[in-house]
Amino acid sequence: MKAIMAACTAEHRYFFKPHYTPFLLLIFLLPSVAPPTLALNITALLAGHADLSSFAKLLASSTVIGDLSGRSSLTLLAVPNPFLLRSAALHSANGDIADVLRYHVLLEYLSWTDLRRIPPKGKLITTLYQTTGRAPNNLGAINLTRDPIDGVITACSPAPFFLSNATILSLVTTLPYNISVFSVNALMIPYGFDLAASETRPSAVVNITQVLIDGRDFNVAASMLEASGVVDEFEQDENGAGITIFVPTDEAFAGLPATDSLQSLPAERKAVVLRFHVLHSYYPLGSLESIVNPVQPTLATEDSHAGWFTLNISRVNGSVAIDTGVVQATITRTVYDQNPVAVFAVSRVLLPKQVFGKGTQTRGGFLGTATQSPEAAPPEEGKMSPTRLTTPPGIRQMISAAGVRSGFQRWSIYTGLMYFLLLAGDLCI
């Protein structure tokens, strides 16, 4: 029996020690290495496409590259060399066509599948040029249309009978949900664009009501904001961290059930619901898409208890979803996006559970006299969530990821030491 045990021990040592012990310990004890962060570099994306070299040089020599450095979720309409050299606008602009290039940057990620789903009547997309404030009304946007017969996608101005348009030729490259680059057969000029004054004209002050009117699908929201007076608060909050506004379309208001009528609410409650649609920080679409189920305070949170009137923002099926605890809406398009203000259209009216949740709609009851559901109750002391949005989502995720990596490193070291001790004890399994 002793001979058998000795043979077992010898075999155990031979099997593990020479071949596996150093390798496994190395795996356990080495620190976890985070994957590299994907940076959005337009110039690098275009570098491998010789037919777009002239367009890439224009971008690199303009101020547009700086505008794009902090953005994601974009679609670039790039003009190949033969079409670009034939453009009259290129020669008349004396090399300064930054706003023309901004007009070719769509603030929404579009794939070929998305383009094929565009209705024949078209889809209006906000451009980087629209966000400068130098475009009258919504004429800095681009209308994408699809021919129902041959499927040809055309980009044109929303102004009727304006002939500056382009046909989308092919997909050049894509980084899913970050950027796609399509080639087009012409350099497009925005309606009423003055090349000589493009960079010297001062940006207009953001008038939120006017932005909604120009959007052509937000008449109810615009009138409610004006009547309540909270639009003045929004414009004051543009300073500092900025604001992000989620605006329901007219169709969203029309789809409200009779039991959820906003018009029947007292003025104070109505103002709270409107503030509930606003984050007190500027977030472009790309930043919202990078959020993973975070709970975000709103302007209404600042006037109530911490943890109340919050929005849960996540990415669902390729779209940004906003959950209030009562309804879930999605962002349908970018209406306006220029730091420090972002305005997004949403598919449903955002109904806070503190107003429309179960037990909150007793007669005369609101945030105190009504019986609150457990979900609507404020968090316990010591677990209060911040009342202001001060940390951008990307930074918060980096901090969280760093904590996870640190925890994994400690676990790895402990596991490696335990494994080493087991081997040192000459155990035979």
Side-chain angles (χ1 to χ4, degrees):
M1 179 63 69
K2 290 182 179 179
I4 295 175
M5 291 295 294
C8 178
T9 302
E11 181 181 357
H12 170 76
R13 289 175 177 172
Y14 173 79
F15 183 79
F16 283 94
K17 187 173 180 180
H19 298 284
Y20 293 94
T21 301
F23 177 69
L24 289 174
L25 287 177
L26 183 64
I27 292 177
F28 281 128
L29 297 178
L30 278 178
S32 175
V33 179
T37 303
L38 181 64
L40 182 59
N41 189 327
I42 303 291
T43 306
L45 285 176
L46 299 180
H49 302 276
D51 60 327
L52 297 175
S53 59
S54 297
F55 189 83
K57 289 179 182 177
L58 285 176
L59 281 174
S61 62
S62 70
T63 57
V64 180
I65 290 295
D67 296 344
L68 299 178
S69 60
R71 293 181 180 269
S72 61
S73 190
L74 305 173
T75 299
L76 177 66
L77 304 181
V79 186
N81 298 342
F83 299 104
L84 187 64
L85 296 176
R86 291 201 299 263
S87 172
L90 179 64
H91 301 289
S92 61
N94 296 320
D96 185 14
I97 58 168
D99 275 349
V100 173
L101 297 175
R102 291 185 179 99
Y103 192 55
H104 290 71
V105 179
L106 312 185
L107 300 185
E108 183 175 336
Y109 172 81
L110 297 171
S111 64
W112 258 129
T113 302
D114 296 325
L115 293 181
R116 294 188 184 104
R117 291 174 180 170
I118 290 177
K121 65 179 181 181
K123 178 180 180 180
L124 199 63
I125 307 291
T126 301
T127 69
L128 189 61
Y129 170 58
Q130 178 74 35
T131 67
T132 64
R134 292 189 281 268
N137 300 322
N138 67 339
L139 297 180
I142 276 183
N143 190 38
L144 294 179
T145 61
R146 179 180 59 83
D147 191 311
I149 299 176
D150 56 19
V152 172
I153 310 295
T154 302
C156 59
S157 169
F161 311 113
F162 188 59
L163 299 180
S164 181
N165 53 45
T167 299
I168 294 182
L169 302 174
S170 63
L171 176 65
V172 177
T173 186
T174 181
L175 296 175
Y177 308 116
N178 282 280
I179 183 171
S180 57
V181 181
F182 291 91
S183 61
V184 293
N185 67 350
L187 188 70
M188 297 176 292
I189 306 298
Y191 178 82
F193 181 74
D194 183 356
L195 287 169
S198 62
E199 290 285 355
T200 59
R201 191 181 309 152
S203 299
V205 176
V206 178
N207 184 323
I208 293 174
T209 304
Q210 190 61 48
V211 167
L212 298 182
I213 294 173
D214 293 342
R216 298 185 181 183
D217 194 22
F218 309 100
N219 297 316
V220 176
S223 61
M224 289 184 67
L225 286 174
E226 282 293 319
S228 66
V230 297
V231 69
D232 296 330
E233 299 178 22
F234 297 173
E235 292 176 355
Q236 291 173 5
D237 288 331
E238 292 175 16
N239 298 322
I243 58 173
T244 300
I245 308 175
F246 304 113
V247 187
T249 62
D250 292 339
E251 183 180 358
F253 278 104
L256 276 175
T259 55
D260 295 335
S261 174
L262 289 178
Q263 301 301 333
S264 62
L265 292 177
E268 180 183 355
R269 292 196 200 182
K270 195 181 298 182
V272 169
V273 174
L274 293 174
R275 295 187 187 102
F276 184 61
H277 287 70
V278 183
L279 305 181
H280 200 167
S281 278
Y282 164 73
Y283 283 93
L285 185 60
S287 295
L288 294 177
E289 289 177 331
S290 67
I291 296 178
V292 181
N293 296 325
V295 176
Q296 303 286 1
T298 65
L299 289 189
T301 307
E302 299 178 7
D303 297 327
S304 61
H305 300 281
W308 280 9
F309 297 105
T310 58
L311 297 174
N312 191 301
I313 304 175
S314 60
R315 189 176 180 86
V316 177
N317 297 327
S319 300
V320 176
I322 305 171
D323 197 317
T324 72
V326 178
V327 300
Q328 180 172 292
T330 57
I331 291 179
T332 57
R333 68 181 175 99
T334 301
V335 181
Y336 184 89
D337 182 2
Q338 177 66 33
N339 195 354
V341 179
V343 182
F344 301 101
V346 291
S347 60
R348 300 185 68 179
V349 180
L350 304 181
L351 304 177
K353 59 187 176 185
Q354 285 77 15
V355 178
F356 296 93
K358 294 180 180 179
T360 59
Q361 295 208 51
T362 57
R363 186 173 180 179
F366 175 59
L367 298 182
T369 59
T371 302
Q372 298 291 335
S373 64
E375 290 183 332
E380 299 176 6
E381 185 175 357
K383 297 181 180 180
M384 306 288 278
S385 59
T387 58
R388 293 181 67 89
L389 187 61
T390 56
T391 305
I395 300 300
R396 185 162 52 252
Q397 290 174 359
M398 290 169 60
I399 295 173
S400 175
V404 172
R405 290 196 299 270
S406 177
F408 178 76
Q409 291 171 16
R410 291 195 296 271
W411 176 86
S412 301
I413 293 173
Y414 296 153
T415 305
L417 290 174
M418 289 296 296
Y419 181 76
F420 180 78
L421 291 174
L422 287 174
L423 292 180
D426 291 329
L427 296 178
C428 179
I429 300 175

